[in-house]
Amino acid sequence: MKQNILIIIVILMLNACTQAVKNEDMTNNPFMQPSGLPYNAPDFAKIEVGHFKPAIEAGITQHLAEIDSIANNPETAAFDNTIVAMEKSGQLLSRAFSVFNLLAGADTNDEMQALQEEISPQIAALSNAIYLNNKLFARIKSIYDRRESLSLDAESKRLIEYYFDKFVLQGANIPEQDKPEFMALNEEEATLISRFSNKLLAAAKAAAWTTDDTDQLNGLSDAEVQSLAQNATNAGLEGKYMIPIHNTTQQPLLQSLTDRSVREELFRRGWSRTENGDDNDTRDIIVRIAKIRARQAKLLGYGNFAEWKLKDQMAKKPEAAMTFMSKLSPGALEKAKLEAKRIQEMIDLSGEKDADGKNIKLEPWDWNIYAEQVRKADYDLDENRIKPYFLLANVLEKGAFYAAGKLYGITFKERFDIPVYQEDVRVFEVFEENGESMALFYTDFFKRDNKLGGAWMGNVIEQSKLLGAKPVIYNVCNFTKPAPGLPALISFDDVTTLFHEFGHALHGLFANQYYPSLSGTNVARDFVELPSQFNEHWSLYPEVFKNYAIHYETGEPMPEDLAEKLKKTSTFNQGYMLTELLEAALLDMEWHTLTGDETIVDPVKFEQEALDRTGLNIKEIPPRYRSTYFLHIWGNGYAAGYYAYLWAEMLDNDAYSWFEENGGMTRANGQRFRDMILSQGNTQDLEKLFISFRGREPDVKPLLKHRGL
């Protein structure tokens, strides 16, 4: 009886959207049927913002009806009529919501943001209706209990286990009296996550620094200055120069700006972007989200949110993740202190004085520019000398695509007949070695003020043999767009980012699953970064590097001596970079191991005390993300999971060491990695999957070697 009440509550909550769908003429809505374009890619030429709300709401209603039909099927629960039926359900919602998610992150506007906050609790309500449905869970449990006797293939058996575990983790076993509270928390959290993301985008936009004094831009190249002028023009500030704020704490141009007061101002704008007491302040939101998550975990029987969320990850427990990071901290701190000492020496040599006429002391806004000077002095390497060799198109096509061809036998052909959502977006069709078409791949590389910060990969269409679907995948980045007529040159950090996100794309492109829920990148957070970080290694592989590191004007490859200097800097500044990552990952764990009984009045104070507890509160090295703008953990699904980047770094370096031991970049080695890792999706236990490839349990030593620790 109580379960029926829950379903009635959800139906009433969704009733408004159902009525809206009835009142809306859906005939011309492009989401109602597959597009008919190659791979059924979205037809952006037909899609308008006004199409999303009715299509998503119709999809919610349709999906709810499908789930109700499965749960109330009078036939005995069986794999096909329950598990497979669920895999086939929700296709209208998937078509509309996948495109909405893409645009909400990469090309949003006020209408999209308002819709995002409106739709999020509806999606959460649908999730409640599925995972808290007693009848549906009883059918799944019945199949789960009989799984060994059903004569199913390994992937089908894995799918049963996946559904059972997911239902349990999503609250199927919660006592009936607690389910209404759990449902309400889920919906409130969904609304707050959307609100946080929207505030963060607005905060970064508002924090941009503007000047009309070119002397304040000393240290920047002419191309960079022109790009800042274009930023200002785009914002309606003709004749000025605008430096946008990126999602990280440190800002890219801090390594070049020679005016210390400008560096400090730019740093502080980024540092405090979400703590100004205005409409973009996120402090109250993150405290409430943390409180909600602690309560959710308690209702599920866990001591804290991290215990709950790591249950299906490789680490399994927060203690395992913390222990792993504690092994990295001493080496990172020791190296960072040596780096700080060397940078202070460089500052002293520079003769730069503070207001009292004394040599300045190293501050966070000084680190990057003086680290760059240390790199020039110690490695004879100047960023401005190497950047002309990294033309974006070459890095993508002669670098990332070339390496993928050498390793995996695939090729890429640009298509101009498939509509895109923004003029800078490019579309490529991907082909197997035998010429068979396999996927579409979209790239959206340039920063815009209506795009969330950072870089990411996503699927518009998930690969699935059951649904006859081939993957449609996108990479989104935030590289600086050049002024009109100038080449798109990127830094080597950007090169690494491109290879990283393309590694995620390869994981999705090589998906070879029957069921969509197990396809491609639908794996644990501390495994999903393995393919992406592994792919970064090929950016410096000699055969690949010389193919794409070509001077944009002369067409000459980077001289060997310069390339060698760049490669020697691979361990440069690694103490700093690892420390800032550890600080962020440990902050994440501190927030998500709260029990819910704590009273947090000031999240900034909590952050400082948390860093003190971890021994990583280092003034000169701020965390890569501060709590109030940590999109990964409050909005992008990495809650209690930011450690995954470091965990996967252990895996990726160990995997690459296998290549080094076995002949490097060969077609046979690439195929082995594709067959044993990239194409497996979530069809096997992930730890066993890695051990099968590597021949032993993962070892942290290759990570330490790669970091120079």
Side-chain angles (χ1 to χ4, degrees), residues 388-389 394 398 546-547 549-558:
Y389 291 92
N394 284 344
K398 296 182 178 182
K546 70 180 182 181
N547 199 60
I550 300 170
H551 198 286
Y552 78 98
E553 288 179 315
T554 67
E556 294 295 318
M558 184 182 288

Side-chain angles (χ1 to χ4, degrees), residues 644-665:
Y645 285 96
L646 294 166
W647 187 281
E649 189 176 341
M650 171 180 64
L651 302 180
D652 87 69
N653 280 286
D654 206 9
Y656 187 71
S657 70
W658 181 92
F659 274 77
E660 291 179 313
E661 295 162 9
N662 290 275
M665 176 178 273

Side-chain angles (χ1 to χ4, degrees), residues 31 42 44 47 52 56 93-109 112-113 115-117 119-120 123 190 193-194 197-198 421 444 448 450-452 456-462 474 476 631 635-636:
F31 294 113
F44 289 108
I47 294 171
F52 285 112
I56 291 172
L93 178 59
S94 179
R95 271 197 304 275
F97 199 59
S98 63
V99 178
F100 180 78
N101 273 338
L102 164 59
L103 298 186
D107 200 44
T108 193
N109 55 42
M112 287 280 289
Q113 290 180 323
L115 185 57
Q116 192 176 16
E117 292 190 28
I119 285 174
S120 293
I123 296 294
I193 287 172
S194 294
S197 298
N198 292 336
Y421 58 88
D444 179 2
R448 298 184 291 272
N450 68 335
K451 179 194 280 191
L452 287 175
W456 64 95
M457 165 268 181
N459 282 68
V460 175
I461 296 177
E462 200 92 59
Y474 55 87
V476 178
L631 180 63
N636 276 356

Side-chain angles (χ1 to χ4, degrees), residues 131-132 137 141 164 167-168 171-175 179 300:
Y131 296 111
L132 302 181
F137 181 57
K141 186 177 185 306
F164 179 79
F167 267 73
V168 171
N173 283 329
I174 286 180
K179 285 185 177 179
L300 286 162

Side-chain angles (χ1 to χ4, degrees), residues 112 159 165 168 314 360 431 434 458 469 549 560 662 696 703:
M112 287 280 289
L159 185 67
D165 291 344
V168 171
M314 291 186 74
I360 65 171
F431 297 90
N434 63 7
E560 288 188 15
N662 290 275
R696 56 163 171 74
L703 182 161

